[in-house]
Amino acid sequence: MESYTEKILITGALGQIGTELTNRLVEIHGADNVVASGLDKWQEGISSAGHYERLDVTNTKLVRQVIKDYEITTVYHLASLLSGTSEKQPLFAWKLNLEPLIDFCEMAKEGLIKKIFWPSSIAVFGKGIPKENVGQEVVLNPTTVYGISKMAGEKWCEYYFDKYGVDVRSIRYPGLISWKTPAGGGTTDYAVEIFYKAIEDGKYTSFISEDTAMPMLYMDDAIEATLKLMDAPKESLTVRSSYNLGGMSFTPKQLAEEIRKEIPGFEISYEPDFRQAIADSWPASIDDSTAKNDWKLSYNFGISEMTQDMIKNLRIKLGKN
C-alpha cells in the first residue's frame, strides 16, 4: 500500500453522522489533519477538527480551493438533504444530493484527491422487492426523491470506479440512532425522538405506525463500520455501488417495550404522517453478508444494548439522572 499522510475533509461535519465521525477521525489522525466543513459560521468549539471551513458544497470553485489549500487526500462527503426534507424540496434535494458527489469524483479522477466516502441509504430500495432480508444485488426501485438521488449516486460511484479507477466507497445506512446529535429530517427519526420524549414527558406520539419494522443502526456501530470500510484494502472490495448495512430491525411498538424496561410508565400513541408512506416503501430487514465477508463488518449494539445506552446518556445530557 502507498504511504502518505492522510489529510481529511468532512462535508456536513455538523450533522448527525458528521459530528461523531469527525470526533473519531480526530482521535485517529490528529486534529490538525482533519478539516470540518458546514454551512454554519465559525465559532469557538464548533467542531473537534483542527480546522473549520464554512462551505456550500454546491460551490465547486470554493470546494476545489479548500481541497488545494489543505492538500486534502480523503473526503468524507456527508452533506445532503434527508428523506423527509427532500420530499418538501425535491429539485434542490436532487441538486445537493448528487452534483457535489460528481464534482468530488472528478477531482479524484484528476488526481486531486485519493479516496472518497459517500453515504447511500436503505431509501434506494422500493416497490416490488421483498420486505425481509433484502439482498445486496436486488433491483433498486425507489419512490422518493431522496431514494432516487441516492440510487443515481450509487451508479455514479460505480461508473467512476469502473471507468477511471476512482476509489469511492459507500454504505447504505439504515436509520441511525444517536444521543449526541439530533436527527435531521429523516423517516427513521422517530427512533431518536422517542427517547427524548420518554425521558422528558413519559409519553410519545409516533409518526410511524406501531407495526412498521425498519432497519436501524446505533451510531457507534455506524461510525466503526464506516472507518472499517475506509481502512479495507482496495482489492478486498467487491461492491463499488454501495454496501448493504443491516444493523437491527424493530417496530415502534417493540422499541416502546424496550423503553418500558427502563422507564416503566412510558406511554406511546400513533399518528402516522406523510413519512409513513416513505417507511412503507422501505425494507423491514437487510442482508449485509457481503460486507461481513468483504471487510469484516460487525456490530456491538442490539435493541436492548442501544436502548440502555441511549437512556443512560440522554438522562445525563438532559439533566434528568
Side-chain angles (χ1 to χ4, degrees):
M1 284 178 69
E2 59 181 322
S3 178
Y4 59 89
T5 301
E6 255 193 294
K7 300 281 279 187
I8 296 163
L9 172 67
I10 305 148
T11 73
L14 306 179
Q16 190 190 19
I17 302 171
T19 303
E20 298 193 40
L21 182 60
T22 300
N23 292 341
R24 285 289 286 121
L25 289 168
V26 165
E27 285 173 18
I28 296 163
H29 297 279
D32 202 48
N33 291 319
V34 180
V35 182
S37 71
L39 289 174
D40 293 17
K41 288 180 181 174
W42 187 89
Q43 59 189 21
E44 197 69 44
I46 192 168
S47 172
S48 61
H51 311 274
Y52 178 79
E53 290 284 336
R54 191 181 190 191
L55 192 60
D56 174 356
V57 289
T58 63
N59 184 339
T60 308
K61 189 177 177 184
L62 186 56
V63 171
R64 279 179 172 265
Q65 195 56 54
V66 167
I67 297 274
K68 289 174 182 171
D69 288 349
Y70 290 98
E71 299 177 334
I72 297 297
T73 62
T74 305
V75 173
Y76 288 81
H77 174 41
L78 307 178
S80 73
L81 217 57
L82 297 184
S83 56
T85 318
S86 291
E87 288 302 297
K88 296 172 182 174
Q89 304 176 68
L91 297 183
F92 174 65
W94 173 258
K95 178 181 173 68
L96 177 64
N97 291 354
L98 210 60
E99 290 178 11
L101 168 65
I102 297 170
D103 290 337
F104 282 123
C105 286
E106 279 291 308
M107 291 179 223
K109 175 186 157 188
E110 294 164 21
L112 205 57
I113 49 181
K114 295 180 182 293
K115 201 155 58 169
I116 302 163
F117 175 79
W118 175 78
S120 187
S121 162
I122 57 169
V124 296
F125 304 117
K127 290 178 180 175
I129 60 162
K131 288 292 276 184
E132 302 291 342
N133 214 30
V134 175
Q136 178 66 52
E137 296 297 334
V138 298
V139 174
L140 305 180
N141 189 21
T143 55
T144 63
V145 176
Y146 184 64
I148 293 165
S149 68
K150 289 296 184 183
M151 180 182 78
E154 286 191 15
K155 300 313 289 182
W156 278 112
C157 290
E158 199 171 50
Y159 179 85
Y160 270 94
F161 175 76
D162 288 344
K163 294 283 183 184
Y164 309 113
V166 167
D167 192 0
V168 54
R169 306 178 181 200
S170 180
I171 280 171
R172 290 168 179 159
Y173 286 125
L176 297 176
I177 301 171
S178 166
W179 60 269
K180 290 179 184 171
T181 314
T187 300
T188 54
D189 286 1
Y190 88 85
V192 178
E193 292 174 2
I194 193 171
F195 287 103
Y196 282 86
K197 292 293 187 181
I199 291 166
E200 292 179 315
D201 303 335
K203 59 185 179 184
Y204 176 64
T205 303
S206 171
F207 56 79
I208 298 295
S209 65
E210 63 178 338
D211 292 321
T212 303
M214 286 187 280
M216 300 282 186
L217 192 62
Y218 200 41
M219 187 62 80
D220 298 49
D221 281 337
I223 300 301
E224 292 312 309
T226 303
L227 296 172
K228 197 174 270 191
L229 170 62
M230 289 298 276
D231 285 343
K234 203 190 268 191
E235 54 275 11
S236 70
L237 305 182
T238 62
V239 175
R240 283 296 181 164
S241 51
S242 191
Y243 277 97
N244 274 4
L245 222 65
M248 50 189 136
S249 182
F250 55 78
T251 65
K253 186 179 179 182
Q254 288 169 326
L255 183 55
E257 286 165 5
E258 286 294 327
I259 290 171
R260 276 192 205 103
K261 294 176 185 176
E262 308 295 319
I263 304 172
F266 175 66
E267 296 173 15
I268 187 166
S269 56
Y270 303 92
E271 290 179 14
D273 67 10
F274 73 98
R275 288 168 285 193
Q276 181 64 43
I278 299 175
D280 289 340
S281 75
W282 291 358
S285 59
I286 303 283
D287 175 0
D288 52 16
S289 53
T290 306
K292 287 173 177 170
N293 290 333
D294 285 4
W295 44 275
K296 307 295 183 281
L297 168 69
S298 61
Y299 307 111
N300 292 316
F301 291 86
I303 187 171
S304 298
E305 296 87 352
M306 180 269 296
T307 299
Q308 290 162 16
D309 201 62
M310 280 290 286
I311 289 173
K312 179 186 78 175
N313 284 298
L314 272 182
R315 276 180 167 150
I316 296 165
K317 181 180 176 179
L318 300 170
K320 302 280 188 181
N321 54 328

